[in-house]
Amino acid sequence: MDPSDALVPYGWDERVLTAYRAVASKPHFQPGRVVRVDRISCVVATRTGDQIATALSLPAVGDWVVLDNDDDELRITAVLDRTAALTRHDADRERVQVIAANIDLVFISAPGDRPSAARVERESVLAWESGATPVVVMTKADLAPDGYADELRERLPGVEVVITAALQNDGVDRIAALMHPNRTAVMLGPSGAGKSTLANALLGEERMPTGDVREDDRRGRHTTSSREIILMPGGGVLIDTPGVRTLGLGDVDEGLDAAFTDIADLVAQCKFSDCGHGSEPGCALRAAVAAGDLDGVRLENYLRLEDEVTATPRGVNHAGRKAKREEDKKAQRAARRPNQQ
Ligand SMILES: Nc1nc2c(ncn2[C@@H]2O[C@H](COP(=O)(O)OP(=O)(O)OP(=O)(O)O)[C@@H](O)[C@H]2O)c(=O)[nH]1
Ligand SMILES: [Mg+2]
Ligand SMILES: [Zn+2]
């Protein structure tokens, strides 16, 4: 592999080269990484710079693609297998959307002016499910209530929580240190969380547009409108995304147990294998809450999220729900296979 290849800053390495060679069947084909996806087109970084490309179905930002330009138009002919992909479902579970592909880290922004550990927990399920490593990034720490950082650390065991206030340049160096050449991170979080502001602090310049939040409820104004790759000055790739209101979990499976490993371990100790974790005797989860070993609020959120995943009313046979999850897992794997036109 040529280290001076113009795609190296985008993460081009031996792995991608090998994957590319396995799929690129014609010598005039060229590789590229999708750096921006709008509603109808996408921009691909190539060895000759950024170019607009067409595709039968749009890839995701972060995808490595095979490009064909034989009749003056740049066309995506194949999408390379993804290492990890962050996906979300619409509320009706009909549409699956790949937010970012080939990511190593998911920065879950937790705005200090709108504290919600439950939302961060929900997003951590999606992050674990993606195959990448979640990192909670508290933003606007200057506006956070006392104790919010501790609450996040308690509610998200095993996840690093970084405290930042990008406008004051606080904590930004820790985020920079998590970025490496060849590493891709995506920022997740609601509109107005300060994602683009943090990106600018990492860049050291006001490149990404930012917008204010509404006075009454601190919601943002959807300033960022497309998903976009930003090359970090010290190497590595950051993907800024528009804030989304609803992050449906859809067919999540491993992500839920990964985000709640402590609870997943306890479930195995309930007396009844079909325990609904309500008032039945011998429930290990309720016992752990009573003993002060498990946060009751965290348990309620877990049960809510699990209900959403299984989309089956609570109290019905747990084994049936488990079986459904197994089925979902298979279907999801099939759906996740990148399309190769
Ligand atoms: N007080 C304070 N305000 C901040 C901080 N970081 C960002 N903000 C403000 O929060 C508002 C929203 O910031 P953005 O960076 O546009 O938020 P975003 O997450 O990119 O929002 P979308 O692009 O809409 O998803 C702006 O008014 C920022 O100035 C911070 O550390 N402290
Ligand atoms: Mg933004
Ligand atoms: Zn139980």
Side-chain angles (χ1 to χ4, degrees):
M1 197 202 76
D2 175 7
S4 68
D5 192 311
L7 288 174
V8 166
Y10 292 90
W12 179 256
D13 61 7
E14 287 297 335
R15 186 198 69 79
V16 185
L17 173 66
T18 306
Y20 175 76
R21 284 204 177 130
V23 179
S25 52
K26 297 197 181 130
H28 70 273
F29 283 175
Q30 54 165 321
R33 192 167 195 197
V34 178
V35 292
R36 184 185 164 117
V37 176
D38 298 308
R39 226 155 286 169
I40 51 166
S41 69
C42 65
V43 179
V44 182
T46 72
R47 288 179 175 134
T48 51
D50 286 3
Q51 301 193 59
I52 292 176
T54 59
L56 281 180
S57 66
L58 280 181
V61 67
D63 264 329
W64 287 100
V65 295
V66 180
L67 298 158
D68 183 5
N69 57 354
D70 56 358
D71 19 80
D72 261 14
E73 195 188 62
L74 203 59
R75 205 162 44 82
I76 294 172
T77 64
V79 177
L80 304 191
D81 280 351
R82 293 166 178 154
T83 53
L86 185 67
T87 56
R88 68 179 273 242
H89 286 68
D90 281 359
D92 57 10
R93 299 168 130 241
E94 292 284 298
R95 253 164 34 102
V96 184
Q97 209 176 46
V98 179
I99 298 174
N102 302 309
I103 47 167
D104 304 291
L105 297 173
V106 180
F107 292 147
I108 304 169
S109 51
D113 59 349
R114 256 191 295 165
S116 167
R119 186 179 56 219
V120 179
E121 265 177 356
R122 159 185 291 272
E123 293 179 352
S124 82
V125 172
L126 286 177
W128 283 116
E129 183 77 9
S130 75
T133 304
V135 174
V136 171
V137 179
M138 190 207 280
T139 51
K140 311 194 199 184
D142 51 309
L143 302 177
D146 285 348
Y148 187 39
D150 291 339
E151 186 190 359
L152 288 173
R153 291 199 170 102
E154 270 161 38
R155 289 279 292 264
L156 291 121
V159 178
E160 177 172 357
V161 178
V162 183
I163 312 297
T164 70
L167 286 181
Q168 287 80 10
N169 218 39
D170 280 348
V172 176
D173 43 347
R174 177 60 196 145
I175 302 297
L178 289 169
M179 302 298 302
H180 290 295
N182 238 347
R183 194 174 264 188
T184 300
V186 59
M187 278 197 290
L188 190 64
S191 177
K195 300 180 294 295
S196 300
T197 305
L198 179 60
N200 285 337
L202 287 160
L203 285 167
E205 59 170 303
E206 301 297 304
R207 195 186 306 170
M208 313 305 288
T210 60
D212 58 357
V213 296
R214 299 196 308 216
E215 260 318 304
D216 49 349
D217 58 7
R218 301 273 163 193
R219 279 184 194 275
R221 298 170 194 271
H222 298 278
T223 308
T224 303
S225 58
S226 56
R227 309 191 182 102
E228 190 170 339
I229 275 185
I230 309 163
L231 295 184
M232 288 288 103
V237 161
L238 182 69
I239 300 175
D240 191 9
T241 66
V244 283
R245 192 164 299 174
T246 48
L247 276 175
L249 295 185
D251 298 327
V252 148
D253 183 60
E254 287 98 338
L256 188 66
D257 287 350
F260 294 91
T261 40
D262 50 341
I263 293 181
D265 289 348
L266 280 171
V267 166
Q269 294 167 32
C270 289
K271 183 173 173 191
F272 300 113
S273 62
D274 61 349
C275 185
H277 318 302
S279 53
E280 42 280 83
C283 176
L285 297 181
R286 296 291 165 197
V289 172
D293 296 333
L294 177 63
D295 181 348
V297 180
R298 183 170 143 77
L299 173 58
E300 290 313 320
N301 198 34
Y302 167 82
L303 294 175
R304 239 195 322 269
L305 295 173
E306 201 201 21
D307 274 354
E308 185 181 323
V309 169
T310 55
T312 312
R314 283 219 65 72
V316 297
N317 173 320
H318 190 68
R321 288 159 61 203
K322 275 259 185 259
K324 184 177 179 304
R325 268 170 74 173
E326 288 299 316
E327 245 173 60
D328 286 353
K329 203 193 308 186
K330 271 189 223 140
Q332 188 192 14
R333 287 220 181 92
R336 231 197 248 152
R337 244 164 259 146
N339 48 325
Q340 310 208 335
Q341 298 113 13

